[in-house]
Amino acid sequence: MPIQPPAPSTPDRPVPAGEDRVLATTSQLAGRVEDALDCRLNAAVLEDLLLELDRGDFVEWVTVTRDGEYLWDLTDAPERIADVVAAIVVERLEQWLEARTAA
């Protein structure tokens, strides 16, 4: 049974043309990643990953297309993910420095 994503924060609606947003379906995103990394992705695993990223507010699903694919808003995803990674790196560095100075 497929996992349903949480309800979108905005009602299902067409995305206005000309909006400065980065939108992609799961298959479009998989295709771009496969082209960039020259590897084959499991679409179900990618979709599960996107659902987890949605739960963490890193991406947002906008709607479901007529073909039944999720449409993802990836506009702020790089910045959101980078902020979390940076915070974790700083935390680990601080822990390392504390351990080195305590010894």
Side-chain angles (χ1 to χ4, degrees), residues 2-77:
I3 300 171
Q4 286 288 8
S9 57
T10 55
D12 286 350
R13 58 176 169 64
V15 178
E19 240 183 76
D20 196 21
R21 295 169 69 184
V22 177
L23 303 173
T25 63
T26 304
S27 62
Q28 289 171 332
L29 184 57
R32 293 294 301 247
V33 170
E34 289 173 356
D35 289 346
L37 301 178
D38 194 28
C39 67
R40 180 91 174 121
L41 291 179
N42 180 318
V45 171
L46 177 61
E47 193 158 275
D48 287 345
L49 173 63
L50 290 166
L51 290 170
E52 287 302 317
L53 289 171
D54 178 67
R55 287 185 185 96
D57 291 328
F58 296 105
V59 300
E60 180 183 342
W61 78 278
V62 178
T63 191
V64 177
T65 68
R66 290 182 180 156
D67 297 333
E69 283 198 83
Y70 295 116
L71 181 66
W72 302 96
D73 185 343
L74 307 169
T75 306
D76 297 324

